[in-house]
Amino acid sequence: MAETMEAPASPISRHINPWIIAIAVMLSTFMEVLDTTVVNVSLPHIAGSMSATVDEATWALTSYLVANAVILPITGWLATILGRKRLLMMAVTGFTVTSFLCGLAPNLLLLIVFRVLQGACGGALQPISQAVLLESFPRESRGKAMAFWGLGIVVAPMLGPVLGGWLTDSYSWRWVFYVNVPVGIASLVMTELFIFDPSYIRRISERIDYWGIGLLAVGVASLQIVLDKGQEADWFGSHWIVTLAVVSIVALATLVIYELCVGHPVLDLRVFRLRTYSAGVILMSIMGVVLYGSLVMLPIMLQTLLGYTALQAGMAMFPRGLGSFLTMPLVGAIMTRFDPRKLLGVGILACVTSLLLLGSLNLNLGFWNIFWPQFLQGASLAFLFVPLTTLTMDPIPRETMGNATSIFNLMRNLGASIGIATVTTLVARNEQTNTSVLAANFTPGDPRAQASLEMLRRLFLSRGTDAMTANHRAYAGIFAMVQRQAGMLAFNHTYWLLAALFLLMVPLVALMRKPAHGKSSAAIH
């Protein structure tokens, strides 16, 4: 039989200004989210310094994401075992220490081991900080709180490539990890001083759901590896990808059935009985697919088609962060005056517009062609993230907030992984198809083809190249132009597809109920 022990609330916890708590949890969240993207631009440097290939070095990313995804959904359950404040402090401490160890890693194997530990610690930070923040503010002020917290979730992935590129170029890739240490220490100090477990949070000593934890770990880890390595391994043309996909499907399907039947599940799926929460989780999953998919496409397009460096591509993402930074406080301020469902609809339409604008770009694009779609998309994120989080969590009782935020954040992260895997595959496959189509239409008898070839021949001949070499280079130059145009069309089509997918979110908004800024909802049975 389970034994329940109530942790007494601190007598001073009720006197803590909630905005101080918001800053404390914001630091840890920003640090963790930043680390998911800050390492990306450093991979070639990591590989070079450790005598490894870039493909081998990508396991430093995959290992982090896998460990993060496994821990994330069981954070609510861990908080009932360890206590919320204790778990948060353990996670921040672990993340800070392992960040320092990653910077010291002498070889790739140890770096991957430390990244696994770092991902495991980081997996608890997002849901637990979100739960603490939601509980610290009254319902009518949650919009402002989520706007503040959303700055870290939305802006950090955009600052990551820029900061990572600058630290790597100016100092060393190791500083990409060392930069977490002072932020982690500051977060740890503020957590100790200002965050306390409320009276309704109980530390529970009960039978551990070993089967649930095992099925969850195997299913989520297998799925994350498939999504992260699928394109590189040619998806289902690879036997080990097929094996992991089957393992993931079987494990996750078994997990759902088992968790609905067991008495004390590690993942309480009964929360999906709330219609608003279920619709919100689906919306957040699709949002992860679309937003993270579009986030990863622009730097790739700029670097592969227009010759941008990694740092320049990262800087090109700045308007998106600027749009979010300027709009988040505004949305938080007007949340109590307007129906959040209407604000969410505005965000969807604004984001669809930005995707259509990005889908209309061509190889002659200039600075402002990138700036305004990016700025609009960043502004739309505020209208998406803040109302969606507030609506989804409104019917959740405070006692089960940790479990609900764990699932919510897991689905956003899995949506992000699916989005990134999907867009990279679509762009690669569509580019091949477009190249074949465009090359087939480029015939020697076409006057435009003849004019282009002649122009290139003259260019090479003017540089002192002999006639035969100039002819070969002219054909090679034409094929390179065809490939660039095919790549541009592939990015265009993928942006349009993401816009269409996002537009399908609108009917789900109607399923969500308007927040009732009153008493807490009844517990879920």
Side-chain angles (χ1 to χ4, degrees), residues 9 35-36 66 93 95 148 175 202 209 249 269 313 320 390 478:
D35 219 68
T36 60
V66 169
T93 302
F95 193 90
F148 181 77
W175 281 96
R202 294 174 171 83
D209 181 14
I249 293 171
L269 300 178
R320 186 170 174 171
T390 306
I478 289 293

Side-chain angles (χ1 to χ4, degrees), residues 63-64 67 107 175 202 217 222 293 306 323 345 366 399 404:
S63 58
Y64 177 91
N107 55 59
W175 281 96
R202 294 174 171 83
S222 300
L306 299 174
E399 295 83 352

Side-chain angles (χ1 to χ4, degrees), residues 139 273-280 283 339-342 344 387-388 390-395 508-517 521:
R139 286 176 178 268
R273 294 176 182 175
L274 296 171
R275 187 182 71 190
T276 296
Y277 180 81
S278 299
L283 285 167
D339 186 341
R341 295 172 297 181
K342 294 180 180 179
L344 184 55
L388 179 55
T390 306
L391 282 166
T392 305
M393 296 303 165
D394 185 74
L508 287 173
V509 178
L511 295 176
M512 307 183 80
R513 293 176 178 172
K514 185 178 180 180
H517 299 308
S521 304

Side-chain angles (χ1 to χ4, degrees), residues 168-501:
T168 302
D169 291 343
S170 303
Y171 301 98
S172 163
W173 64 264
R174 298 183 185 275
W175 281 96
V176 169
F177 298 106
Y178 293 150
V179 74
N180 290 329
V181 175
V183 180
I185 293 173
S187 175
L188 194 62
V189 171
M190 293 190 71
T191 301
E192 170 63 27
L193 293 176
F194 303 120
I195 294 179
F196 302 90
D197 285 343
S199 58
Y200 51 81
I201 295 296
R202 294 174 171 83
R203 289 175 55 193
I204 301 173
S205 176
E206 61 180 20
R207 184 177 178 182
I208 297 177
D209 181 14
Y210 290 109
W211 280 104
I213 294 174
L215 288 169
L216 181 68
V218 171
V220 172
S222 300
L223 177 60
Q224 187 66 56
I225 293 174
V226 168
L227 294 173
D228 199 55
K229 292 293 184 179
Q231 168 63 17
E232 180 184 315
D234 195 27
W235 291 106
F236 299 112
S238 168
H239 292 299
W240 70 273
I241 288 290
V242 172
T243 301
L244 284 177
V246 172
V247 169
S248 175
I249 293 171
V250 172
L252 292 177
T254 306
L255 172 71
V256 171
I257 297 171
Y258 180 80
E259 295 295 272
L260 291 174
C261 299
V262 73
H264 299 284
V266 68
L267 202 63
D268 191 353
L269 300 178
R270 292 174 297 175
V271 71
F272 284 100
R273 294 176 182 175
L274 296 171
R275 187 182 71 190
T276 296
Y277 180 81
S278 299
V281 170
I282 295 172
L283 285 167
M284 179 53 77
S285 303
I286 299 174
M287 196 169 102
V289 171
V290 173
L291 294 180
Y292 280 85
S294 63
L295 175 66
V296 79
M297 276 205 299
L298 186 62
I300 295 174
M301 183 181 76
L302 295 176
Q303 291 179 77
T304 57
L305 300 182
L306 299 174
Y308 281 47
T309 65
L311 183 57
Q312 288 172 332
M315 291 297 293
M317 306 298 291
F318 174 74
R320 186 170 174 171
L322 178 64
S324 297
F325 184 79
L326 294 177
T327 315
M328 282 281 184
L330 172 64
V331 175
I334 66 175
M335 275 286 292
T336 55
R337 301 180 184 179
F338 297 94
D339 186 341
R341 295 172 297 181
K342 294 180 180 179
L343 297 178
L344 184 55
V346 170
I348 292 173
L349 295 178
C351 192
V352 168
T353 303
S354 71
L355 290 168
L356 292 176
L357 290 173
L358 288 169
S360 65
L361 295 175
N362 57 52
L363 293 172
N364 297 318
L365 61 86
F367 173 77
W368 295 109
N369 299 114
I370 301 175
F371 182 92
W372 289 117
Q374 286 278 91
F375 184 85
L376 178 60
Q377 189 171 86
S380 73
L381 291 181
F383 285 89
L384 290 166
F385 183 84
V386 178
L388 179 55
T389 306
T390 306
L391 282 166
T392 305
M393 296 303 165
D394 185 74
I396 304 297
R398 290 187 172 188
E399 295 83 352
T400 58
M401 188 67 74
N403 176 71
T405 55
S406 297
I407 299 173
F408 187 71
N409 283 280
L410 170 68
M411 295 310 296
R412 187 194 69 237
N413 284 14
L414 287 180
S417 297
I418 292 171
I420 292 170
T422 301
V423 300
T424 52
T425 300
L426 285 175
V427 168
R429 301 294 166 86
N430 286 340
E431 184 175 356
Q432 293 174 357
T433 302
N434 294 337
T435 300
S436 299
V437 172
L438 293 176
N441 291 327
F442 188 87
T443 59
D446 189 337
R448 291 174 299 179
Q450 289 294 333
S452 299
L453 281 170
E454 185 60 29
M455 180 185 69
L456 289 174
R457 284 195 197 98
R458 290 179 179 178
L459 176 64
F460 289 121
L461 287 171
S462 67
R463 296 176 179 176
T465 308
D466 63 85
M468 183 176 294
T469 303
N471 191 52
H472 287 310
R473 289 185 178 180
Y475 274 101
I478 289 293
F479 184 70
M481 292 169 60
V482 169
Q483 279 190 312
R484 290 181 69 221
Q485 188 60 50
M488 191 73 243
L489 289 174
F491 282 105
N492 291 153
H493 295 159
T494 306
Y495 276 123
W496 294 338
L497 180 62
L498 291 179
L501 177 61

Side-chain angles (χ1 to χ4, degrees), residues 34-44 46 54-69 108 111-112 115-116 118-119 176-177 224-225 228-229 232 417 420:
L34 184 72
D35 219 68
T36 60
T37 57
V38 74
V39 182
N40 295 27
V41 296
S42 305
L43 284 180
I46 293 174
V54 174
D55 287 344
E56 290 171 338
T58 58
W59 281 104
L61 297 179
T62 303
S63 58
Y64 177 91
L65 294 173
V66 169
N68 192 279
L108 184 60
L111 176 62
I112 292 172
R115 285 285 281 174
V116 169
Q118 186 187 36
V176 169
F177 298 106
Q224 187 66 56
I225 293 174
D228 199 55
K229 292 293 184 179
E232 180 184 315
S417 297
I420 292 170

Side-chain angles (χ1 to χ4, degrees), residues 69-88:
V70 170
I71 295 297
L72 207 158
I74 64 173
T75 301
W77 175 78
L78 287 173
T80 65
I81 302 295
L82 301 171
R84 188 164 291 169
K85 177 177 179 177
R86 180 180 294 181
L87 177 60
L88 183 58

